[in-house]
């Protein structure tokens, strides 16, 4: 269901300071009178709601022809969202077909054996992160960029993954390829076959058919659609806040209809 999982708070403030290139430590120390060393284990972020997945076979689906066409036959893309996973099992993230399968276009998921994030272009190319992803029961911002023709041709830099705005270098294997034109719908929380459904919550999904820089990822991660401006809207094909419904918009403000699918218990 669409529930309340986000609000403005300390995490938002520090994130925006960091996004502007200002040291959070310096920002806090200015005119500091009293300091309490508390630990916040669950960050607060943008908006007032999120999409909740029960792990039993539900997902959000986008069938808009213009959106799907824009995410096929391309050499670059960026996907991102805030996610709170309820456990460390293998789950689909954002897919256009699924992870590493024939005629799947592209897909991303947390691997079932260790929870690490991985991404693929059909069965042509795959990339994965070396450390297990142990972020469970806490909100984390994930961003993945893909560039078939990355600078220097280093296959280990074709895909970059960002955790809370910090770039995490991984490994690549295979031959980087142009995204296929297989006509798969875009799904959040499951593959095209409804496999590996997510157990947890997702918020502020963004999809571009270009590569966002590290600075852009950090600037965008603490924003809702209404906050995006300038180049942040360039080549944006879908942004879904998931505050109150499943619909999204592209960079030109066009509404893109999303719907609950599978058992529709979202």
């Amino acid at each position: 269901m669409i529930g309340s999982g986000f609000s403005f708070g300390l995490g938002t403030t520090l994130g925006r300071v960091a996004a502007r290139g200002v040291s959070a430590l310096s920002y806090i120390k200015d005119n500091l009178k009293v300091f309490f060393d508390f630990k916040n284990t669950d960050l607060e972020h943008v908006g007032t709601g999120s999409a909740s997945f029960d792990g039993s076979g539900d997902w959000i689906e986008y069938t808009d022809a213009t959106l799907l066409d824009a995410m096929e036959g391309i050499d670059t893309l960026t996907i991102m969202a805030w996610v709170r996973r309820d456990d460390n099992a293998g789950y689909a993230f954002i897919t256009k077909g699924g992870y590493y399968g024939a005629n799947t276009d592209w897909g991303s998921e947390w691997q079932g054996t260790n929870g690490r994030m991985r991404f693929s272009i059909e069965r042509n190319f795959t990339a994965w992160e070396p450390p297990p992803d142990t972020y469970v029961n806490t909100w984390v911002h994930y961003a993945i960029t893909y560039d078939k023709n990355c600078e220097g041709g280093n296959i280990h830099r074709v895909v970059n993954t960002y955790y809370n705005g910090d770039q995490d270098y991984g490994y690549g294997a295979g031959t980087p390829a142009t995204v296929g034109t297989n006509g798969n719908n875009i799904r959040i929380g499951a593959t095209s076959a409804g496999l590996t459904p997510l157990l947890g919550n997702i918020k502020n999904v963004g999809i571009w058919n270009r590569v966002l820089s590290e600075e852009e990822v950090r600037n965008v991660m603490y924003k809702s659609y209404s906050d995006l401006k300038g180049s942040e809207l360039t080549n944006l094909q879908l942004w879904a806040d998931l505050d109150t419904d499943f619909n999204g918009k592209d960079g030109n403000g066009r509404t893109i209809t999303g719907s609950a699918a599978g058992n529709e218990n979202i």
Side-chain angles (χ1 to χ4, degrees):
M1 65 180 64
I2 299 291
S4 58
F6 292 80
S7 61
F8 288 105
L10 178 63
T12 302
T13 302
L14 296 183
R16 288 175 171 172
V17 170
R20 296 188 180 99
V22 180
S23 166
L25 181 60
S26 298
Y27 181 86
I28 294 172
K29 289 173 65 178
D30 286 347
N31 300 310
L32 177 66
K33 304 302 182 184
V34 179
F35 173 70
F36 296 95
D37 188 15
F38 66 90
K39 298 294 187 296
N40 182 9
T41 59
D42 192 10
L43 297 177
E44 297 177 275
H45 303 298
V46 178
T48 57
S50 64
S52 177
F53 301 78
D54 65 8
S56 65
D58 46 42
W59 60 85
I60 300 171
E61 188 151 5
Y62 297 91
T63 62
D64 183 88
T66 301
L67 165 63
L68 301 184
D69 288 346
M71 296 309 298
E72 293 185 346
I74 57 177
D75 293 336
T76 58
L77 64 83
T78 299
I79 57 176
M80 67 170 61
W82 282 100
V83 183
R84 180 186 175 100
R85 293 185 297 147
D86 288 356
D87 63 38
N88 208 32
Y91 296 128
F93 179 32
I94 303 170
T95 70
K96 194 175 185 303
Y99 173 80
Y100 204 70
N103 304 316
T104 55
D105 295 328
W106 50 265
S108 55
E109 69 172 15
W110 293 272
Q111 187 174 358
T113 55
N114 57 24
R116 67 184 177 184
M117 177 62 75
R118 55 186 186 176
F119 175 88
S120 70
I121 301 293
E122 293 192 50
R123 287 183 175 172
N124 296 305
F125 181 81
T126 181
W128 62 95
E129 299 308 303
D133 182 348
T134 58
Y135 296 113
V136 176
N137 295 319
T138 188
W139 284 102
V140 179
H141 188 268
Y142 294 89
I144 298 173
T145 67
Y146 173 76
D147 184 357
K148 171 190 170 185
N149 303 304
C150 66
E151 184 177 351
N154 185 341
I155 65 170
H156 303 307
R157 296 296 177 266
V158 171
V159 172
N160 288 311
T161 303
Y162 298 85
Y163 296 84
N164 292 330
D166 293 328
Q167 187 171 2
D168 187 7
Y169 294 106
Y171 300 99
T175 302
T178 298
V179 171
T181 55
N182 298 299
N184 293 294
N185 294 334
I186 289 178
R187 289 185 172 181
I188 300 172
T191 68
S192 61
L195 301 177
T196 58
L198 176 70
L199 177 62
N201 295 67
I202 292 185
K203 168 73 183 167
N204 286 3
V205 173
I207 301 176
W208 291 256
N209 58 6
R210 71 176 180 90
V211 172
L212 269 65
S213 67
E214 182 174 5
E215 180 181 5
E216 287 178 309
V217 170
R218 291 180 174 179
N219 284 339
V220 168
M221 62 183 284
Y222 284 102
K223 293 183 177 181
S224 293
Y225 181 84
S226 60
D227 301 316
L228 301 177
K229 58 184 178 181
S231 63
E232 296 166 351
L233 295 166
T234 302
N235 295 103
L236 175 64
Q237 304 305 322
L238 173 67
W239 182 283
D241 287 336
L242 302 180
D243 277 338
T244 58
D245 59 35
F246 306 119
N247 298 333
K249 292 184 177 181
D250 65 12
N252 296 317
R254 185 178 68 90
T255 297
I256 299 173
T257 301
S259 60
N263 65 27
E264 303 183 8
N265 188 28
I266 303 177

